[in-house]
Amino acid sequence: MSTALILGATGATGKHLLRELLSSDQWSKVGEYSRRVTPEADLPQNRGKLEQKTVNFENLEAAGLKDGRWDVVFVTLGTTRANAGSAEMFEKIDREYAAKTDDPEHKQRVVYLSSSAADSSSHFLYTRSKGLTELGIARLGYADTIVFRPGLFKGAQRADKRLAETILGYVTGAASHFTSNAEIHVSVLAKAIMKAGILGSSGLPPAVGATKAGQEDAWFTLIGNTGALVLGQE
């Protein structure tokens, strides 16, 4: 069995991923490290192998990220500019914190949840930040780096209602009848992310359509929405 660390387990996809990790007999220990961890009342009964730790991302040296000797690190961190309070804080949470998950003594695999429009050269803050985070994590030197770029989230339960996301949901809902690139249910995405963490880049089925992406010194395996659907529904 392997050990798994999840950063961002209270987000729309992260909460589903945490349940998947705890339910699977693949993992002997699951760590949930975050600015705020899942309340006990929201945890499933099978939480005996869960280790929770509140982390100050401004002082990661004291966070003990290396202590667990994690085999696979899942990064589902993310926020919006509105919730972060400023563009500077958005980039710090979305990019800098995620890229500080490095454990130079025990590198195996990292799986990062990005965005379908991620582009490090984009003029838009959100998509640029996601693209830069992809490259930043790929440069950390893990033996295997996998990035998901999913479509619009279906079934996401958020404390904050996002009007644009709601409107876009109607559009992608209609588009999903013609293409598999439009949307994905967060529970299916969570299963796909966990499976990728187990299988690794070399073990992904051809039907997933994973590709090599990134740039010199920052290569990673990329899985799009169609591939996530295939992997999550197997």
Side-chain angles (χ1 to χ4, degrees):
M1 291 191 290
S2 303
T3 59
L5 172 65
I6 176 172
L7 302 176
T10 58
T13 303
K15 64 181 63 176
H16 286 273
L17 177 57
L18 178 61
R19 289 180 176 273
E20 291 292 333
L21 294 171
L22 293 175
S23 298
S24 171
D25 59 8
Q26 175 70 30
W27 314 99
S28 60
K29 181 169 67 171
V30 176
E32 180 195 2
Y33 287 16
S34 186
R35 291 169 294 154
R36 58 184 180 88
V37 297
T38 304
E40 186 174 352
D42 295 337
L43 290 171
Q45 292 184 344
N46 57 337
R47 57 178 181 268
K49 58 186 174 183
L50 177 64
E51 174 187 304
Q52 291 180 306
K53 189 168 187 177
T54 302
V55 173
N56 177 6
F57 282 95
E58 297 292 347
N59 185 20
L60 285 180
E61 288 300 318
L65 289 178
K66 303 175 185 178
D67 297 346
R69 306 289 291 179
W70 310 106
D71 295 312
V72 184
V73 177
F74 296 95
V75 183
T76 55
L77 286 167
T79 186
T80 64
R81 178 171 178 169
N83 286 341
S86 68
E88 180 182 6
M89 281 306 299
F90 170 80
E91 291 191 280
K92 175 164 284 192
I93 294 171
D94 192 66
R95 185 165 81 243
E96 292 183 27
Y97 291 172
K100 287 180 179 178
T101 60
D102 186 22
D103 177 358
E105 297 179 6
H106 189 65
K107 296 178 185 295
Q108 184 169 343
R109 180 170 300 129
V110 60
V111 184
Y112 173 58
L113 176 60
S114 186
S115 166
S116 61
D119 181 353
S120 60
S121 60
S122 173
H123 295 295
F124 298 99
L125 176 67
Y126 182 83
T127 52
R128 181 179 68 250
S129 183
K130 289 296 184 183
L132 290 172
T133 301
E134 292 175 350
L135 296 176
I137 290 178
R139 289 192 182 101
L140 291 179
Y142 280 89
D144 190 19
T145 301
I146 301 174
V147 171
F148 278 81
R149 289 183 185 171
L152 188 75
F153 293 168
K154 282 184 63 179
Q157 297 178 345
R158 306 185 192 274
D160 58 317
K161 298 295 183 181
R162 302 177 184 178
L163 178 59
E165 206 171 69
T166 300
I167 296 173
L168 189 57
Y170 290 114
V171 177
T172 58
S176 66
H177 294 291
F178 307 98
T179 176
S180 58
N181 290 322
E183 59 184 17
I184 186 170
H185 199 285
V186 286
S187 61
V188 174
L189 178 57
K191 291 178 181 177
I193 290 173
M194 185 183 73
K195 286 184 180 179
I198 295 171
L199 296 172
S201 295
S202 62
L204 293 171
V208 171
T211 58
K212 182 179 179 180
Q215 59 189 42
E216 194 65 40
D217 86 347
W219 298 112
F220 55 86
T221 297
L222 178 62
I223 300 176
N225 198 71
T226 301
L229 285 169
V230 169
L231 197 56
Q233 294 175 340
E234 276 193 329

